[in-house]
Amino acid sequence: MSNVNSSRSNNFDFIRIAAAFSVLFSHQYALMGIKEPSILNVHSLGGLSILIFFSISGFLVSQSFDLDPNAWRFLFKRFLRIWPALAVVIIITSLALGPLITNLTMSEYFAHENFIKYFKNLYFSTKDILPLEFSGNALQWSLNGSLWTIPLEVKCYLLLAFVGSFGAFRNKYVIPTLFFILALVYFWMEPNFGHLIESSKISVNDYYLFQFSIFFMAGACFYKLKIHENFKLALALLVIGWILGGIAVLFLKPILALFFVVPITTLFLGNLNTDIINRAGRYGDISYGIYIYAFPVQQTFIWLWKDAIPWWLLLFFVLITTTIFAFLSWHLIEKKALKLKGALKK
């Protein structure tokens, strides 16, 4: 299997872009008041894509930490990857899109408490309400519902930096042990999560943080055990994962089934070096841009044209517009921000 040092010697760019478009496609249903495509009745297609993102992230950022095991440099690199583009989309939606849509006067809009609170997104505290309304849309008050997963991923980075700063990467069995304990606790508690959420003992976000973190740590475990360097081992684990996933479905354990199948399948396919597919990112890594721009583009287009043009044509315009924003985000913001990594000294 391929080494992951070069994004063009593997299929990860393609998988991330495909997952980002899958989130967009899934949200197109929800934002038009249609039930999203479901995976085992526990996740939408978009939710499955999030599990894929976290699996890839755990694998790739573990490699980043392993190559430069300094927690502060690691976190700063993660900050450069996420925050600049996030800041720009928040500024564009709040200062440009919001004033065009709101029914308030400009002075009322900019003085509104929800306008001020919206900037909490800049320090990874999700706030999805601005003083505006997409009248007639299924989710009238939501501007960028995709952003809620970003603070959860940041917390996974903090977890990795924390355990890494105590030498977890020096021994190849520490990360797998932590992963095993985390997964064991999650699936032991899984039947009770619904009750815990209903009784307000944990929040929905806490539940998803716990769930996403085991997929993130599965990726970290995959890297630390160097499974990607042993094709036969990876293939065997893929087959075993699908067998166990099938058994879990038969026993009505859909989350467990996804746990057995998604990380190993994602990382197995991602580490392959497939011609044409491995060149998906040759014009830029647009997956993050697709993810953070799709939702506001969809809300705006649906608000403007949901009754004027067919569903498929509306989706086409959303895809084209979102891709343009993602392309600009990569080349004007993200790529330039990542160059600042060179200023960090080991």
Side-chain angles (χ1 to χ4, degrees):
M1 300 183 76
S2 66
N3 189 293
V4 297
N5 287 331
S6 170
S7 63
R8 297 186 185 166
S9 64
N10 56 60
N11 298 334
F12 281 119
D13 282 337
F14 175 84
I15 294 174
R16 284 186 300 214
I17 292 170
F21 277 127
S22 295
V23 173
L24 182 157
F25 183 73
S26 189
H27 282 168
Q28 190 77 3
Y29 283 84
L31 295 178
M32 296 192 73
I34 306 170
K35 181 178 173 58
E36 295 179 70
S38 176
I39 308 298
L40 300 180
N41 292 318
V42 292
H43 270 297
S44 65
L45 177 61
L48 173 64
S49 298
I50 300 302
L51 301 182
I52 291 171
F53 278 132
F54 273 80
S55 299
I56 294 174
S57 180
F59 176 77
L60 293 179
V61 302
S62 292
Q63 184 194 42
S64 175
F65 192 96
D66 202 24
L67 294 175
D68 180 17
N70 179 284
W72 295 112
R73 284 196 296 268
F74 169 79
L75 291 175
F76 186 62
K77 291 175 185 176
R78 297 300 93 217
F79 176 84
L80 290 176
R81 184 65 190 95
I82 289 179
W83 191 85
L86 175 66
V88 171
V89 77
I90 289 168
I91 290 169
I92 290 174
T93 51
S94 60
L95 299 183
L97 180 61
L100 293 175
I101 295 175
T102 187
N103 292 323
L104 303 177
T105 66
M106 290 300 94
S107 59
E108 290 173 332
Y109 174 82
F110 289 116
H112 199 283
E113 64 175 347
N114 285 339
F115 174 78
I116 305 301
K117 289 179 179 179
Y118 190 70
F119 287 90
K120 289 185 177 181
N121 286 295
L122 291 174
Y123 54 88
F124 307 116
S125 176
T126 305
K127 301 295 177 186
D128 189 34
I129 298 178
L130 275 172
L132 53 82
E133 178 183 1
F134 292 99
S135 301
N137 285 20
L139 299 177
Q140 299 180 42
W141 309 104
S142 182
L143 180 64
N144 201 339
S146 296
L147 299 186
W148 72 278
T149 65
I150 294 178
L152 305 188
E153 184 156 6
V154 169
K155 289 176 180 178
C156 287
Y157 296 158
L158 291 171
L159 171 63
L160 196 67
F162 177 77
V163 299
S165 65
F166 285 96
F169 280 84
R170 294 185 195 131
N171 186 302
K172 71 176 184 178
Y173 296 112
V174 175
I175 292 294
T177 300
L178 292 174
F179 160 66
F180 177 77
I181 293 172
L182 189 65
L184 193 65
V185 171
Y186 174 86
F187 287 107
W188 175 67
M189 294 181 62
E190 205 269 337
N192 300 313
F193 278 127
H195 172 72
L196 292 172
I197 293 171
E198 289 177 4
S199 60
S200 299
K201 292 182 179 179
I202 65 170
S203 68
V204 173
N205 269 20
D206 289 336
Y207 165 70
Y208 281 114
L209 173 61
F210 200 173
Q211 183 183 126
F212 294 167
S213 66
I214 65 171
F215 286 80
F216 180 89
M217 290 301 292
C221 182
F222 193 96
Y223 168 74
K224 195 57 191 171
L225 292 177
K226 305 300 181 185
I227 296 171
H228 57 291
E229 296 179 359
N230 188 330
F231 180 82
K232 291 182 179 179
L233 174 61
L235 182 59
L237 291 175
L238 178 69
V239 173
I240 292 170
W242 275 88
I243 291 172
L244 293 176
I247 294 172
V249 169
L250 292 176
F251 282 89
L252 304 179
K253 299 292 183 181
I255 295 294
L256 185 61
L258 292 175
F259 171 71
F260 283 134
V261 169
V262 172
I264 183 62
T265 304
T266 299
L267 298 172
F268 178 85
L269 295 177
N271 276 288
L272 295 179
N273 186 7
T274 308
D275 192 30
I276 299 177
I277 288 177
N278 61 10
R279 290 177 286 179
R282 64 188 181 276
Y283 298 118
D285 182 2
I286 63 172
S287 57
Y288 184 50
I290 294 168
Y291 187 77
I292 61 177
Y293 278 98
F295 203 104
V297 169
Q298 289 173 285
Q299 281 286 64
T300 304
F301 280 29
I302 292 170
W303 177 63
L304 290 171
W305 297 314
K306 64 181 179 297
D307 298 321
I309 60 177
W311 186 93
W312 65 267
L313 186 57
L314 183 58
L315 176 63
F316 175 76
F317 287 143
V318 165
L319 286 169
I320 295 300
T321 305
T322 301
T323 301
I324 291 171
F325 273 112
F327 183 83
L328 292 173
S329 177
W330 170 254
H331 287 281
L332 299 180
I333 308 299
E334 299 166 55
K335 186 177 179 180
K336 294 182 183 298
L338 289 174
K339 289 182 180 179
L340 296 175
K341 288 182 179 181
L344 297 173
K345 295 181 179 179
K346 292 187 180 183

